[in-house]
Amino acid sequence: MPAERPAATGAGRWKPLAVLGTAQFLMVLDASVMNVSISQLVKDFHTEVTAIQAVITLYTLVMAAFMLTGGKIGDLFGRRRVFVVGLAVYGVGSGLTALAPTVGVLALGWSVIEGLGAALVLPALAALAAGSYRGRDRAVAYGVIGGLAGAGIAVGPLLGGWVTTYLTWRLVFAGEVVLVAAILLLMGWIPAQPPPAHRPRLDGIGALLSAAALALMVLAVLQSGSWGWVQPRNPPFTVLGFAPTLFVIAIGAGLLYAFAAHERRRERRGLTPLVSLGLFENKPLRSGLMTLFNQNTVLLGLFFVIPLYLQVVQGLDAFETGLRLLPVSVTMLATSMCGSLLLRYASPRAICRIGLLVLLASTLWLITAIGPQLKGSSFAGAMALLGIGMGLLASQLGNTVQSSVQADQRSEAGGLQYTAQNLGSSLGTALIGAILIGALATSVTSRIESDPRVSQAVAEQSAVHIEAGLSFVPADRVAAALASHPEVPPQEAAAIVEHYRDAQIQGLKTAVLACACITAGALFFTRRLPADRPSRPQQGGRRP
């Protein structure tokens, strides 16, 4: 195993973190910007919402499919070199996206080229942070990187809403090209990394199997809202009369099993696998990955629900929504940067458990803050507390994952780290979205059926429409749709709209409660996190 180089000392030791943190923020930012720019993209490209959503889905699929391969490439060819190549690829994709004349070019530039660039950059980034710092400095570095990732998710809607509303979304991607160029110019700040001890051939079959398995599973989860989980909603095809979601997940799981069997055969033959399955026997690593998965499930689930509440129920625009989410960014970044200081008094396991408990408290507080009228101070307080909980987790988990493996396994661990985050993000959006729509449908149906103001005929007709598929839309649109049906008396239509408004609040509260339950369950997976506090790095030397 190649020896680790000495950690830098003095104020200049934070220069690598400035480069790596900026790259992490960049990787997260444009996905959030794209999500709030959908309506403008539809207008600019004269297309449908479904086409832009497909572009966004494809970006997630490309990253999920190639993250493990990107991590292994970093181990084979050198993390610093792969980081530079990935950034260059990402910059080319950003430039093409900024100039895209059609949806096809947008998909090529953003979804494919940027997605591949990110799959190379992110695992290498995680490994470079570990190679540049030791002890508590490493914990600080991962805290800052994790905080910047969360800040990018929260700041993206604010920046994207402002730029899209007052300028053009293309400027965000043009700005990314400039930022990529600046990062590349500052690569000298990142210390040289130990060269790979040997360079075996890449496991091409393993790369294909893992890419196909992860792509299918993420695709099915992301499309579950439109396909349906069991009963078909609007899928491109059905399987034996059922929605294809679970069948596609099963195929993906089968390919993942084939991938694991293939990797075991390679290891028995003395060949280098794409992912060493022995890593999963590493209990701190496994615990860290599961906690990361749960954290991202909750975070992206909440960031799916909260904008719906602010924009659909409260009628705020993208920029105003971003302002309401700002407390999350501020407290998450501040806490993640300061969270490492807690290592003087508590272990990573204790800090993560405190973070999960704070996160649990914030979700329960958020349930009380959601109502027909926006409770400004209470909502802001819940958002600030949410950021503190996420910041505490972000300050520890990246460091836990990377510090639990040997130096020559860090890119591989980085690939697993970002794969876990990607899967958690996809599941959070899909699962919490499905819970929200299910609770909305159940609540509005029961309210209509139990209301004597609504006739049985109208109630049955409403139930048929709800069964066919219900969307989370402004109540005014429901009122307009009912007004176009003269067979529904105005007083009954008004009652249905009233019930729909109430059901929206109930559905939102149910979805946030589901996030709270996932948070509580995540405490179970913290048992194997490190229970010891890291020591300070030795000045002028290196730690073994």
Side-chain angles (χ1 to χ4, degrees):
M1 183 185 74
E4 295 193 66
R5 295 185 184 277
T9 59
R13 72 184 188 278
W14 300 119
K15 286 183 177 180
L17 179 58
V19 174
L20 298 174
T22 303
Q24 174 67 80
F25 184 79
L26 178 65
M27 296 294 114
V28 173
L29 179 66
D30 65 354
S32 350
V33 169
M34 190 68 82
N35 280 321
V36 299
S37 304
I38 290 177
S39 58
Q40 190 59 48
L41 289 164
V42 169
K43 293 178 184 177
D44 287 356
F45 291 111
H46 307 288
T47 187
E48 302 294 330
V49 172
T50 52
I52 302 302
Q53 289 174 331
V55 170
I56 295 173
T57 300
L58 180 60
Y59 177 74
T60 305
L61 288 179
V62 170
M63 277 208 302
F66 294 101
M67 197 67 75
L68 291 179
T69 304
K72 193 62 178 182
I73 289 174
D75 281 336
L76 296 179
F77 298 99
R79 292 90 180 248
R80 198 170 182 274
R81 179 184 301 170
V82 170
F83 182 76
V84 169
V85 171
L87 275 174
V89 171
Y90 193 89
V92 170
S94 297
L96 188 58
T97 303
L99 300 172
T102 65
V103 174
V105 177
L106 179 74
L108 175 63
W110 189 66
S111 305
V112 178
I113 299 179
E114 282 197 38
L116 289 172
L120 291 172
V121 168
L122 289 171
L125 185 154
L128 287 171
S132 300
Y133 297 102
R134 308 284 182 271
R136 289 182 186 169
D137 280 358
R138 183 183 290 171
V140 171
Y142 279 111
V144 172
I145 290 171
L148 286 170
I153 294 173
V155 169
L158 178 63
L159 177 62
W162 186 82
V163 172
T164 301
T165 301
Y166 299 107
L167 299 169
T168 171
W169 57 270
R170 295 179 186 273
L171 282 179
V172 175
F173 294 94
E176 287 185 353
V177 176
V178 176
L179 202 54
V180 165
I183 294 173
L184 291 175
L185 288 174
L186 296 175
M187 280 302 297
W189 287 4
I190 297 179
Q193 303 294 304
H198 60 287
R199 188 175 296 173
R201 293 177 60 185
L202 181 67
D203 177 13
I205 295 176
L208 289 174
L209 286 173
S210 67
L214 292 171
L216 285 174
M217 294 173 73
V218 171
L219 175 65
V221 169
L222 288 175
Q223 296 299 107
S224 61
S226 59
W227 292 358
W229 283 96
V230 179
Q231 295 300 321
R233 294 190 63 190
N234 188 29
F237 61 92
T238 59
V239 181
L240 302 175
F242 295 100
T245 304
L246 295 179
F247 293 94
V248 174
I249 290 175
I251 294 172
L255 289 173
L256 202 59
Y257 179 82
F259 166 72
H262 170 74
E263 296 300 284
R264 289 192 185 95
R265 283 196 300 271
R266 284 186 65 87
E267 288 190 284
R268 284 198 298 267
R269 295 172 183 172
L271 301 174
T272 301
L274 185 72
V275 175
S276 175
L277 299 182
L279 285 175
F280 293 101
E281 298 175 7
N282 184 323
K283 292 178 181 179
L285 173 65
R286 194 169 63 219
S287 185
L289 292 175
M290 285 304 302
T291 309
L292 268 172
F293 174 84
N294 287 316
Q295 177 199 15
N296 279 268
T297 300
V298 173
L299 179 61
L300 271 295
L302 289 173
F303 271 82
F304 176 80
V305 170
I306 294 170
L308 283 179
Y309 171 63
L310 295 174
Q311 294 183 351
V312 176
V313 176
Q314 299 299 332
L316 303 183
D317 60 26
F319 181 63
E320 292 170 327
T321 299
L323 285 176
R324 296 289 182 176
L325 295 175
L326 197 56
V328 180
S329 299
V330 173
T331 56
M332 182 172 182
L333 183 58
T335 307
S336 62
M337 293 178 70
C338 299
S340 58
L341 298 177
L342 295 175
L343 289 173
R344 298 175 181 176
Y345 312 102
S347 66
R349 180 200 297 171
I351 295 172
C352 285
R353 286 177 171 175
I354 293 170
L356 287 170
L357 290 173
V358 172
L359 182 57
L360 178 61
S362 71
T363 53
L364 296 177
W365 185 356
L366 183 59
I367 291 173
T368 68
I370 292 176
Q373 303 299 321
L374 181 60
K375 303 172 184 177
S377 58
S378 181
F379 183 84
M383 289 293 95
L385 192 63
L386 171 65
I388 292 173
M390 287 294 178
L392 288 171
L393 291 170
S395 70
Q396 305 303 317
L397 291 176
N399 183 43
T400 296
V401 168
Q402 287 293 321
S403 297
S404 64
V405 298
Q406 300 295 327
D408 58 351
Q409 296 175 317
R410 283 183 181 146
S411 290
E412 202 171 330
L416 291 172
Q417 174 182 337
Y418 283 101
T419 297
Q421 291 182 209
N422 208 308
L423 291 174
S425 301
S426 303
L427 182 64
T429 301
L431 177 62
I432 301 304
I435 290 172
L436 170 62
I437 297 299
L440 173 66
T442 301
S443 179
V444 73
T445 300
S446 63
R447 290 169 189 271
I448 291 173
E449 289 177 348
S450 61
D451 189 345
R453 295 175 295 172
V454 182
S455 65
Q456 184 176 354
V458 171
E460 290 175 353
Q461 187 180 2
S462 299
V464 170
H465 284 290
I466 292 170
E467 183 67 24
L470 190 64
S471 299
F472 199 96
V473 297
D476 292 343
R477 283 180 57 182
V478 176
L482 289 170
S484 65
H485 292 274
E487 69 274 14
V488 180
Q491 64 274 17
E492 295 189 37
I496 291 174
V497 172
E498 176 188 331
H499 292 316
Y500 183 80
R501 291 182 192 275
D502 293 339
Q504 281 184 316
I505 300 301
Q506 186 61 43
L508 289 164
K509 288 177 178 284
T510 302
V512 176
L513 180 61
C515 291
C517 293
I518 295 171
T519 303
L523 286 165
F524 174 79
F525 296 99
T526 62
R527 293 182 302 165
R528 301 296 185 180
L529 292 176
D532 299 322
R533 289 175 286 165
S535 58
R536 292 184 179 276
Q538 296 174 1
Q539 298 296 316
R542 63 177 177 89
R543 287 183 53 78

